[in-house]
Structures are given as C-alpha cells and as structure tokens.
Amino acid sequence: MIIRLLGPLELTGPNGAVQLSSAAQRTLVARLALTPGETVPRSALVDALWSDEASASATKTLHSLLARLRGQIRDAGLGELITTREPGYVLNASTETVDAARFEALVAAARHSDEPSESAKMLREALALWTGDPLADCRPGEWTRQESARLVSLRMDATEDLMDASLALGEHAAVAPLVAALVERHPFRERLWEQLMIALHRCGRQAESLAAFQRARAVLVDELGIEPGTRLRDLEQAVLTADPRLDLPERVVVPVRGNLPADRSSFVERPETEHVTDLIRRHRLVTLIGVGGVGKTRLALHVARAEQPPDGAWLVELAALRDRALVPHTVAEALGVVDQTGRGQLNVLAEFLAGRDALLVLDNCEHVVDHCAVLVDTLLRVAPKLRVIATSRRALRVHGEQVLSVAPLSVPYPAATLFAQRADAAIPGSFVITDANEQAVADLCRRLDGIPLAIEMAALRVRALTPAQLLERLDDRFRVLTDGGRTALPQHQTLLATMEWSFELCSPREQLLWARASVFAGGFDLAAAEAVCSDDVLTADFMFDAVDGLVDKSVLQHEEHAGVARYRFLETMRRFGQTRLRASGEEQRLKARHRDYYANLAAQGERAWFTPRQLATVGAMTAERGNLRAALEHSLTTPGEADAGLRLAATLWFHWVGCGRFAEGRHWLDWALSLETEPSKARCKALWVNGYVATLQGNTSAVPALLEACHREAAELRDEDADVFATYVRGAAAVFEDDLPRGAELLSEADRRHAELGHLDSNVIMAKVALAITVAFSGQLDRAAEICAEARAVCEENGELWARAYALYVLAFVAMGRGDVAEARELATTSLHIKAKFDDLLGIAVSVELLALIAAVTGHPAHAALLLGGADRVWRSVGLPLFGSATFAASHDRCVALCRQALGDEAYGEHFARGAAMTVSAVVEVAAKDLAQP
C-alpha cells in the first residue's frame, strides 16, 4: 500500500489505485493519513472538510462520505484500512506507507545524526518523496491551507539542512550554484544567504561572498525594512578578516563499529537470552541450534547488539550462499575487507582479525557447516579476542564450541506476548489480551508449539479472525495435515503445518510466486520476479499484486536499495517455497530462467559500463551478487550447462576488474575453464579475462599460459576480438615486468587494431592509458599527454569514469614530469576521488603514491611519509606493491629518499607506521587533503 500526499494525492492497493473522485474524499484520506495509526476525532474531519461553514447535517454527511470511501478501499484490496475508534476514525497504516509521514521521520532522523554523510543521505531521500504541491487536489479550506503551508515550510527547512550537510562534507563547489538559485526564489531566508556566503568563501571567491551579503542586506532593508540578523552580520566580518573558523573543519574519521541491522520489531525476552550472553562472555564460540523458525537469528542478534565489542559486532548472512568455497569471501564482504591479491581469503581474514576484539554472527550455517567449521577454527586460533555466535541446525563441531539448543517459547507466556505484539502490529492499536480472549490465545500458542515464526504467521490473521476462530480453523487444518504417518519431529511438523496453512490462505497467484521466487538467492526486485516467475498463469501484469500480497502476509520482507524496492524471504520461508517448487516439477526450468535473466543482466551491465550508468552498474551488481553467484553455480554444476557459466563468468569482467573482485573472478573463471576445454569464442574471452585479472593481481606466472591458449584458440576460430584484447593484456604484463620496448610494441598494436575493428569500451581506453604511461616512462611526455588527452575526451563524451580516472592519473604523472606540481595534484586528487567511488584499490594505491611524491617535493615530508604508509596499506590488499616493477617503483623510491633526508629514519618510520595503520577510507581522506589550506 502507498499513500502519497506530497504532490497529486494517490492511494494504491493490491488491486490498483483507489479512484478518489471527489475533493472531499481526497481531503478525508489526507487528514487521516497525516497521522497514521492515530485516532482523528470526527470534529477534526468535519473541520478539514468544511472549516467554519459546517452545516447541521455535517456529521451525517461525513458518515456517508466515509461509507463510500471505505467501500472503494475494500474493492482495492486494502481491507479495513479505515476503522472506527472513538471519538473518531483511524487509518490503519504504518508511517512507512505515507510519504508525508516518512518525509518527517527522515528529516527528524537526519537532524539527530552526528555524521554529515548520513544526514545528507536521509535528507536527499526525504526530498525525493516530493512530486508536486502538497494537498493541492484537496478541498480548499483553512485546514488545507495551514497544513500545506506547514509541509512546504518543512520542505524548505530540510533543503537548508541538506545544504548545511553538504557544506560539512566539503561540497561547497556544488552548493554555491544551488544556493544561489534558491536565494533568488526565497530572498528573505537569511540562512540561505549565510550558506551562499560560506560556499563562495570556501571556493576562494571572497569578493563574491561579500557581494552576496550586500545583496541580502539590500533585499531585507528595501523589502522588509529590517537590517540583517546578527549571524549574517558576523559572517560578513568573518569573511572580511578571513577568519579560519569559516574554513572546512577537519573531520575525524569515525570507524565503523559493526553492521548489525536495527530491530524492525520488538524483541520478546526469553530465558535463553541471559544464558547465551553468559556463554559468549565466558567462551569464544557459541552455536545456537534448533528447528527453523524457533528464533535463533533474533536471539543471536539481540545478544550481539548488547555486547558492543571495541571492533564491532558483524552479521554474516550465509543463507543465500550456495558455493561453499565462497564462505570466506562472504565473511570478508560483511567485514568490508577488500583484498584483490591472489592470497586465499581465509588468510586475508586471519591477518585482518588477528589483533581485533570483535564479534561475528554467522547466520544459517547448516548448508555450509563444514566450511564454516574450518573458517571458525582458523580464525579463533589466530585472533585471541575474536568471538563467534553461529546459528545452525547442526553444531559446527569445533574445539571449544558451546552448543545451545534454542527451545520454543513457553506457553502461555512469553508466547502469548509475542502473539499480542504481532497482532497489534498488523492493525496498530487493535489488539490486546483480555479475559475474553486470553485462553484462546494461550491454546493457539500451545497448538503452535510455541514456535515464534508460526505464532507470528498466525497473528497476522487477526485482521479477519478472532483468536478463537483462528484456533478452530487451525485445529481443523492440523488434523488434515498431521494425519497420514508423518515421521518428522513434532516441532518440524508444527512449522510445516503452519507454513502449509499459510500457503493455502494465499491466492493461487501468490502460491505460485512463493514457490517460484524461492530460486532467488538473497533478494530480488519486481522486474526480476516478472522475468523469472511469470507465465500464462502468473502473468507479469499481476506480478505486483502477488508480490504485494506476500509482503502483506509477511512471507516476503520488503527492503530498499538505491531507491528500488527489493524483496527477500526469511530462510525458513524460502526453503518451504523450494519444497513446493521441487514438488511441482518446475525447479530446473525456473533455475534456468533465473540463470538466463542474470546472464542478461550481466550483459546489460557490460554494455552500460562505458556509459554514464557506470557507477549505477556497480551498485546493481553488488545488490545482485547472491543471484549472480547462484546463476554461476547452477551453470557449472548442471550437466550440459557449463558453457553458459563460462560466458557469464567472462561477461562479468567489469565486475571482477572494475569493482575489485579479483579473487572471486579467478575462482569462477578457473572453474569454468576447467570444465569447458573445447575451443569457443566464450572460452577465448574467458581466457583473456582471466589473464587480465591475474595480471592486475601480480600473478604473472599464470598469465603466459592463459594468453597463449587464447591466441592459439582465437586463431583457430578467427576470433580477432579476443586476440586483440589478449594482446593488450600481454602488453600490460610486459610493462609490469619492466620490458618497456616490448610493452610499447604490443600496446601500440592493440591500440591500432582496436581502432581498425571499431572497438570502443573501457578496456580500449585502458590500452591507450597503458601505452601512455609506457611512453611517459621512456621520457616521451608530449606523446603520453596527447594519448591520454584523447582517452580522457572519449571518456567524458561517453560518461565513462573508471578508465577516465586512470587517464587522469597518467596526465598527473606527465604534469609532474613537466614540473607543473599544482596541475599534477589537481589531476591526481580527481583520479583518487573517482577510484574511491568504485572501491578500486589499485587506482587508489597509484594515486596515493603520486600524491605522496607531490607532498615530498612541495616541502611536506611528514605528510608524504604518512601517505607512503597508507599506500603500503592499500598495496597489501591489491598484490605486489607497484606491480613488482622497478619502473613504477622509481617515483616511489625518489619519494622515500626525499622523506628520509628531510625527517631522518626514525621520524620517517613513525609517520609511515601511522599511515600503514589507517583504513583505506582514511587513507583516501588524508591523501585528498589540500596542504595549501590551513
């Protein structure tokens, strides 16, 4: 359900939009929706409709309007959305479904945040909810005018808050034109004038900043007859005296202390809570076992939130993982550990966690239990302060493991408490346990064996049935389901019976979707559901209704990623769907459709990589990582499908290279190539892509065999495309091995042949960039600048950022060679900022190295040593520092020599060590700092 008030009023349900034909109906919806879940007195509704001109029959007319409105709402599939609650009516909806309420909640949260980036994110999300003038299609009147003015004022305040957050983030160059436009439309808002003056001052435009003050004063005096306020006058004086307090304050990098999600619903205390807390404080590994739906994950997260270890509590979700070999990769991703080297990910994790006091929550380990056991055993041995809470249906069987079987909730309490809380959440304010229903609730919870998930599913039915009616229907259903010699344990039987009962309460379309959507790993969006799950029975036109129905029944969980609604199952729900899908005989067909959809998505991403959608593609691939892995594994484990897996792994080159997934890319490419050994164009592409990734890792020993095989098979197939890309990779590898003449020859050949074949993508640009740095190393600065200027122009024309950043780096290197240090710094800093957006550690490392040299030659040796330490920190996650190349290392060695000469060995070592201890994000922030600023 969606209710929009911040623009044309809209009320949408499972069966489509409610046709609100009159301004009176729209006004009623708006008045109730502005305070969802709260009772609005009849007098307030009458006032909203008729202000002070209400007739004697106004209350009767109100009842008539509401009756028709509630009928239309029921027809739209929204049930009893509006109910009577004395002394008026209530709209039974959450704040999340009403754009105005969500807007106010986001703005309030942004004002309570101490982190400008988080505030800016929430404010942008809040302002994006606006689509027009609020309440414009409601009945004109005093209430409408007042409420509309209030919302518009809040919007303006939020806009000013966003400008403040942007200024705090150092985005003054972007803020200046935005605020300049705003003051033209709102000339009496002094806060906007203050923001404009600060932005102009920080851009180095002091004269314009002072001129802005004079304009503000003229407007206020001429139009309102008042002088500017104290803050604005003080700001003028600060600009005149170049007060350093106006400069952007140096921000302290706040380390991330975990990734545990916020509780979406209340936690019902249970006896095990204290026991688990005591166990994890006295021991280092606690495994919670029990049937699905018994509450293992909720209990683990609740305990973990309370622990707050110095280095954070981290949730690792393993349910969507199907390839056991990727368990360490999944843990690394959850911890934010990025390592592009050829080292095993388990070794990387061991090194990262060795000295940290942290808590890991490994959720849903049962299907990868052996690999989880190896990982946990290894990490606990090398990281003495690390603790682990695992949830599983089987114990890990690791030395020192404390296993606790999580029991169902006791009946009547706390099981009845859980039922009451979830029932009340279904229709806020509608349910409490009374003398009349207490026994029925207790019997219902007892019939459900106290299993939390089963109780929560049953509680949703109070929208239509009383607890006594629920119990009667559930007993009937259980007699049908549990007769027939079932051999499962009683608690498994109970949960299965509850699932099947809930399944049969779904519409036929919802049942189909529940089964079919179980092929998704992690989450999915509506477009994916339409493409993978639709057919003549469940058509794409009705897919949203089916999705919305499953969300309403809490079968699917609603999430949001980059402004797009996504959906996911709780693992127990997904497994039930899988059993239904398997029984239908459609499992292999759906898995193939799933694989084909994500293969097409990868192909779209490959095409979008050389467009302005490049950064959005990074986010899309990250969101779909679980599904891409599932598609790859299905292809590589299903007889006759390995070719599809090979093509998908090769198509994803931009993900492996551009998004810093070297190790995982090698995993899939090696596996696919080992299965598909007959020459094909797909195999040729996979060979050069694998060689490309290995080259960037510094794993040069693996590269020759891969590229020779590619050249040989490409010649056999007359595949010129693969052959020229392999030539580029061979050229890059030669440069890294310091064979500059051979590298220049191969890269020139690749550049020429790319032009002849009409190729144009990021790798074509990278061939030019590699050629440019090669000729720059040989002293041909003008030629290098010419090549990179061309590459930069092509990237800018096509909206490409990733390869463009490398071109800027080479142009910065050329500028240093020419002695233009200011130009070099500007180019290198721009390159660094771009690479940080992609988490491209290789690009970050080379940019930081160059910025360190710039700091050294401009008289800042301490800062340069700090950056050298930071660069070393990044290189350890990339591969061989500076590719193991003496040519690339020449500038580095020069920088080290300058620093040691100026500081001495001891001081140099201290600054280097400080840099090496920083996080990658801190390295980027420090490297980008303008040393010319105080």
Side-chain angles (χ1 to χ4, degrees):
M1 183 187 70
I2 299 171
I3 305 176
R4 294 192 174 95
L5 306 177
L6 304 178
L9 194 143
E10 183 180 333
L11 171 58
T12 304
N15 299 333
V18 180
Q19 299 302 315
L20 302 172
S21 56
S22 70
Q25 285 186 328
R26 292 190 288 273
T27 304
L28 279 176
V29 170
R31 182 63 185 87
L32 290 165
L34 278 168
T35 53
E38 297 181 15
T39 302
V40 180
R42 294 182 184 86
S43 58
L45 293 174
V46 169
D47 183 61
L49 286 168
W50 295 289
S51 298
D52 296 329
E53 301 175 3
S55 65
S57 61
T59 301
K60 183 177 180 180
T61 305
L62 172 65
H63 289 162
S64 177
L65 283 169
L66 279 167
R68 288 197 298 274
L69 177 60
R70 292 163 81 173
Q72 291 173 256
I73 287 172
R74 282 191 289 270
D75 291 343
L78 290 171
E80 298 303 318
L81 179 62
I82 299 175
T83 55
T84 303
R85 186 196 293 168
E86 293 302 327
Y89 298 88
V90 62
L91 184 88
N92 299 303
S94 69
T95 56
E96 290 293 308
T97 62
V98 183
D99 62 355
R102 178 159 174 74
F103 167 76
E104 293 194 53
L106 283 167
V107 172
R111 288 172 179 166
H112 281 91
S113 173
D114 294 327
E115 178 54 47
S117 60
E118 285 298 314
S119 295
K121 179 182 177 182
M122 289 186 282
L123 290 165
R124 289 191 179 98
E125 182 181 348
L127 291 166
L129 295 171
W130 286 72
T131 60
D133 294 331
L135 312 180
D137 45 4
C138 291
R139 175 170 284 182
E142 188 61 27
W143 174 82
T144 303
R145 285 191 295 274
Q146 288 181 355
E147 192 58 34
S148 176
R150 185 184 72 85
L151 289 169
V152 169
S153 179
L154 284 176
R155 180 187 189 183
M156 200 61 232
D157 290 342
T159 302
E160 291 176 338
D161 289 346
L162 177 57
M163 295 301 103
D164 276 341
S166 300
L167 285 170
L169 290 169
E171 298 172 0
H172 36 270
V175 168
L178 293 176
V179 181
L182 286 170
V183 296
E184 295 299 325
R185 297 197 300 271
H186 307 280
F188 304 136
R189 295 184 74 99
E190 293 193 33
R191 188 179 174 194
L192 286 176
W193 287 108
E194 292 168 16
Q195 291 167 341
L196 178 59
M197 291 177 67
I198 292 171
L200 291 171
H201 174 78
R202 289 182 183 170
C203 289
R205 297 156 64 182
Q206 279 71 23
E208 293 176 66
S209 178
L210 292 169
F213 173 80
Q214 295 302 328
R215 287 170 51 212
R217 182 178 183 278
V219 168
L220 294 170
V221 171
D222 293 347
E223 300 293 331
L224 301 180
I226 60 174
E227 286 287 341
T230 304
R231 285 170 55 91
L232 203 53
R233 295 196 305 273
D234 289 347
L235 183 56
E236 180 200 24
Q237 187 62 31
V239 173
L240 283 168
T241 59
D243 191 326
R245 289 176 296 180
L246 289 182
D247 296 330
L248 183 67
E250 186 170 342
R251 296 178 58 229
V252 177
V253 178
V254 179
V256 177
R257 296 299 185 192
N259 69 340
L260 301 186
D263 250 336
R264 294 188 176 185
S265 55
S266 57
F267 178 80
V268 176
E269 285 293 344
R270 50 196 305 166
E272 296 101 322
T273 305
E274 187 174 342
H275 190 189
V276 176
T277 300
D278 180 60
L279 284 175
I280 198 60
R281 289 177 180 175
R282 291 191 295 112
H283 304 277
R284 298 179 56 215
L285 171 61
V286 176
T287 300
L288 306 181
I289 63 171
V291 298
V294 80
K296 301 184 295 293
T297 301
R298 287 295 301 272
L299 177 58
L301 290 175
H302 183 72
V303 171
R305 287 189 189 98
E307 286 303 286
Q308 299 182 339
D311 293 309
W314 304 84
L315 171 63
V316 183
E317 297 180 292
L318 297 168
L321 187 64
R322 300 179 186 181
D323 184 348
R324 297 175 181 180
L326 295 178
V327 168
H329 293 72
T330 306
V331 177
E333 287 165 6
L335 289 166
V337 178
V338 181
D339 188 285
Q340 300 177 354
T341 69
R343 296 184 298 162
Q345 288 291 295
L346 186 51
N347 292 333
V348 171
L349 282 171
E351 179 184 302
F352 176 79
L353 289 168
R356 285 180 162 80
D357 184 350
L359 174 63
L360 293 184
V361 178
L362 302 181
D363 192 31
N364 287 298
C365 298
E366 53 271 3
H367 61 303
V368 287
V369 67
D370 293 339
H371 284 67
C372 284
V374 172
L375 177 134
V376 170
D377 185 58
T378 302
L379 295 182
L380 291 178
R381 288 176 187 275
V382 300
K385 295 182 179 179
L386 177 68
R387 293 176 294 159
V388 178
I389 301 176
T391 73
S392 179
R393 298 189 188 188
R394 295 188 286 160
L396 302 187
R397 300 190 182 280
V398 172
H399 177 71
E401 178 184 28
Q402 302 296 307
V403 180
L404 178 69
S405 180
V406 179
L409 296 175
S410 298
V411 180
Y413 295 97
T417 301
L418 176 64
F419 181 90
Q421 289 181 357
R422 299 301 181 262
D424 188 64
I427 303 178
S430 67
F431 187 87
V432 293
I433 294 179
T434 64
D435 292 341
N437 64 22
E438 185 175 20
Q439 189 59 50
V441 171
D443 290 345
L444 186 63
C445 292
R446 186 174 294 108
R447 193 68 184 88
L448 294 171
D449 287 337
I451 298 176
L453 181 58
I455 292 170
E456 290 179 339
M457 292 167 66
L460 292 171
R461 308 299 168 201
V462 298
R463 295 169 176 172
L465 301 170
T466 67
Q469 290 173 315
L470 275 172
L471 180 62
E472 180 182 349
R473 283 159 176 76
L474 191 62
D475 276 335
D476 290 343
R477 188 63 194 143
F478 269 46
R479 278 191 288 273
V480 173
L481 290 173
T482 56
D483 288 344
R486 290 184 183 270
T487 59
L489 294 172
Q491 290 168 0
H492 283 287
Q493 275 193 347
T494 297
L495 187 61
L496 178 60
T498 308
M499 289 281 187
E500 291 182 342
W501 177 56
S502 289
F503 185 79
E504 294 198 4
L505 289 174
C506 294
S507 70
R509 291 190 181 109
E510 291 166 355
Q511 291 176 352
L512 274 177
L513 181 61
W514 189 342
R516 292 175 178 178
S518 68
V519 298
F520 291 106
F524 60 94
D525 59 20
L526 184 60
E530 290 171 345
V532 175
C533 302
S534 65
D535 60 8
D536 292 341
V537 179
L538 177 58
T539 63
D541 290 342
F542 287 95
M543 188 60 67
F544 174 76
D545 294 338
V547 168
D548 193 53
L550 292 182
V551 170
D552 187 57
K553 295 175 178 65
S554 292
V555 175
L556 284 176
Q557 308 296 306
H558 175 273
E559 299 173 340
E560 191 170 306
H561 177 82
V564 176
R566 292 181 64 81
Y567 310 94
R568 65 190 292 270
F569 287 105
L570 293 178
E571 181 60 10
T572 306
M573 301 283 199
R574 186 178 70 83
R575 291 184 182 184
F576 177 82
Q578 285 179 322
T579 63
R580 284 285 176 166
L581 182 62
R582 199 166 293 127
S584 72
E586 288 193 315
E587 184 177 23
Q588 289 306 310
R589 182 178 74 87
L590 265 293
K591 284 187 173 181
R593 290 188 70 174
H594 174 276
R595 188 271 319 286
D596 292 344
Y597 176 78
Y598 284 100
N600 182 58
L601 188 72
Q604 292 175 19
E606 185 179 32
R607 291 190 295 271
W609 193 251
F610 199 67
T611 73
R613 300 193 303 279
Q614 193 175 58
L615 266 178
T617 300
V618 174
M621 294 300 108
T622 300
E624 300 294 1
R625 191 178 302 143
N627 285 307
L628 291 169
R629 287 171 172 171
L632 284 161
E633 186 177 10
H634 169 74
S635 300
L636 299 180
T637 57
T638 303
E641 298 288 341
D643 177 66
L646 185 75
R647 282 185 278 111
L648 177 54
T651 298
L652 284 168
W653 68 263
F654 65 94
H655 185 53
W656 314 135
V657 174
C659 303
R661 302 291 167 189
F662 292 174
E664 184 173 348
R666 293 294 310 282
H667 168 79
W668 294 113
L669 289 160
D670 284 343
W671 186 2
L673 286 166
S674 72
L675 296 175
E676 281 292 303
T677 57
E678 291 298 315
S680 67
K681 287 195 171 185
R683 179 174 160 82
C684 285
K685 183 174 182 179
L687 283 166
W688 74 255
V689 169
N690 207 8
Y692 190 11
V693 179
T695 298
L696 295 175
Q697 279 185 311
N699 188 5
T700 52
S701 62
V703 175
L706 291 167
L707 297 183
E708 286 167 13
C710 181
H711 281 303
R712 183 175 62 253
E713 295 179 21
E716 181 182 338
L717 298 168
R718 296 183 180 180
D719 186 351
E720 288 191 73
D721 293 338
D723 188 74
V724 68
F725 281 113
T727 300
Y728 152 56
V729 176
R730 285 172 58 208
V735 174
F736 292 167
E737 293 176 342
D738 297 315
D739 189 349
L740 297 186
R742 179 62 173 158
E745 177 187 351
L746 289 169
L747 292 168
S748 295
E749 179 188 345
D751 187 45
R752 174 181 55 78
R753 291 175 63 195
H754 279 314
E756 291 172 354
L757 293 169
H759 292 167
L760 186 59
D761 64 15
S762 296
N763 287 321
V764 174
I765 299 299
M766 288 302 294
K768 288 183 178 294
V769 171
L771 176 59
I773 193 67
T774 305
V775 300
F777 283 148
S778 63
Q780 302 176 58
L781 298 182
D782 289 344
R783 185 183 174 207
E786 182 182 344
I787 295 170
C788 270
E790 178 188 347
R792 177 183 184 179
V794 174
C795 288
E796 290 175 349
E797 181 181 346
N798 288 275
E800 207 277 1
L801 285 173
W802 178 76
R804 175 189 168 205
Y806 282 114
L808 295 175
Y809 161 75
V810 177
L811 287 170
F813 182 88
V814 170
M816 276 295 288
R818 290 171 169 171
D820 191 344
V821 178
E823 176 73 4
R825 173 169 177 75
E826 181 179 347
L827 290 165
T829 304
T830 303
S831 176
L832 177 63
H833 282 311
I834 294 173
K835 286 306 179 188
K837 293 178 181 179
F838 288 87
D839 288 328
D840 184 342
L841 297 187
L842 178 60
I844 290 171
V846 295
S847 297
V848 172
E849 287 276 359
L850 187 53
L851 287 164
L853 178 59
I854 292 170
V857 300
T858 55
H860 299 88
H863 188 72
L866 185 74
L867 295 187
L868 286 172
D872 182 72
R873 158 72 181 85
V874 180
W875 279 119
R876 280 184 271 129
S877 298
V878 175
L880 284 173
L882 294 154
F883 317 106
S885 162
T887 308
F888 273 91
S891 295
H892 170 87
D893 294 342
R894 179 189 172 199
C895 185
V896 172
L898 288 170
C899 290
R900 288 186 183 278
Q901 181 181 358
L903 300 171
D905 289 347
E906 184 177 350
Y908 169 79
E910 291 175 357
H911 291 296
F912 184 94
R914 283 178 50 227
M918 291 191 295
T919 63
V920 174
S921 59
V923 172
V924 170
E925 185 163 347
V926 171
K929 182 179 178 181
D930 186 353
L931 298 179
Q933 295 291 328

